[in-house]
Amino acid sequence: MKHLYYNVSFNEYKKVGMLDIPEDWQPFPIERSGVPVENIDKLILTLKNGKYADFMFSVGCAYFLSPRLKELFEHYVADSTLIEFYPVPVVSEQYGDRTYYLLHFTRWCDVRNEQMTSFMPRSKYPARMVLDYNKVCNLTIFNSDSYNISFLMRDEVRRAIKREKMHIGIAFDPVECSGVPEELQKKGYACANPRKPIWKCLSFPKGKIW
């Protein structure tokens, strides 16, 4: 089965470098969703331990896009008020200097199916994340407070990134979605069903087991 939405994060691909920030840089992290970006006009990044890619991660927990990946995001984003792009220079003695764009979400999106999403005990992050189709049907690139340093995108955006060969260094992990319309299910897209959290399904023998 195919999935309508994917969680997007940095895949530590050995050939892709890391963007380093100046020592004692403030604020740290560089940006937070829903919080205005500060001092970004003073930031200069340095490429370390690898090559450039279209999608890059920095010390300071921020994502940076190449100009062409930024253009693709701008083409697909459904709500232009949700995402901001800030140009930042990147320097590299080996590969030359370039301009990348900080990806910043201006607010958090309410996208969970609260009844079907389940959390591990004493954790604010879900063991099973389930999206509500009625909440995400008009979103293509968005975030959720269920994920601290990643975001989500619709399958059509993921496929476009792969088609344009800009997927190096990106991890796409499928996310369940409830309420998927029948016409999309007929096209092979999965629809989440209720089930017990895994730790409630486990059983252990009584007494010592070692």
Side-chain angles (χ1 to χ4, degrees):
M1 296 291 286
K2 299 184 293 184
H3 289 268
L4 268 178
Y5 294 94
Y6 287 80
N7 181 41
V8 180
S9 60
F10 180 66
N11 177 14
E12 296 184 15
Y13 186 67
K14 61 182 179 180
K15 293 183 179 180
V16 177
M18 176 73 72
L19 301 181
D20 198 11
I21 60 177
E23 188 175 354
D24 299 325
W25 174 261
Q26 293 296 328
F28 190 94
I30 295 173
E31 65 85 36
R32 297 178 187 270
S33 293
V35 178
V37 178
E38 298 179 358
N39 293 337
I40 196 65
D41 57 321
K42 300 179 178 65
L43 179 61
I44 299 176
L45 299 168
T46 302
L47 176 67
K48 291 190 174 181
N49 304 323
K51 298 180 179 180
Y52 285 112
D54 290 289
F55 184 82
M56 303 202 72
F57 191 61
S58 77
V59 175
C61 302
Y63 288 110
F64 289 84
L65 314 180
S66 69
R68 68 180 193 141
L69 184 55
K70 168 185 172 284
E71 184 177 342
L72 186 147
F73 272 45
E74 289 175 325
H75 175 76
Y76 280 99
V77 66
D79 182 353
S80 60
T81 68
L82 177 59
I83 295 178
E84 294 177 336
F85 301 98
Y86 292 89
V88 176
V90 183
V91 298
S92 169
E93 291 185 4
Q94 185 174 2
Y95 297 105
D97 300 345
R98 299 188 184 183
T99 297
Y100 272 71
Y101 292 85
L102 170 68
L103 175 65
H104 174 66
F105 290 92
T106 60
R107 61 184 182 275
W108 290 105
C109 297
D110 174 18
V111 295
R112 283 197 303 261
N113 180 317
E114 299 293 351
Q115 286 70 45
M116 295 178 67
T117 296
S118 56
F119 295 81
M120 289 290 285
R122 298 179 297 280
S123 173
K124 65 178 181 178
Y125 298 114
R128 183 200 185 195
M129 170 68 166
V130 181
L131 301 174
D132 185 331
Y133 183 80
N134 290 327
K135 295 179 179 180
V136 299
C137 60
N138 293 319
L139 297 173
T140 50
I141 304 168
F142 55 100
N143 63 359
S144 167
D145 62 1
S146 294
Y147 300 109
N148 192 26
I149 52 172
S150 60
F151 57 98
L152 299 118
M153 67 174 49
R154 197 173 171 98
D155 184 46
E156 63 183 293
V157 187
R158 181 190 67 89
R159 287 187 283 109
I161 291 172
K162 288 200 165 189
R163 185 170 60 247
E164 298 299 325
K165 302 187 186 309
M166 292 189 278
H167 60 284
I168 302 299
I170 306 179
F172 298 104
D173 297 307
V175 179
E176 294 182 85
C177 186
S178 65
V180 175
E182 186 175 343
E183 59 266 26
L184 290 176
Q185 293 187 50
K186 289 180 179 178
K187 294 179 180 180
Y189 285 104
C191 183
N193 294 308
R195 68 169 185 262
K196 290 182 179 180
I198 187 169
W199 67 88
K200 292 185 179 181
C201 300
L202 300 175
S203 60
F204 301 96
K206 295 181 180 179
K208 292 184 179 180
I209 58 174
W210 60 83

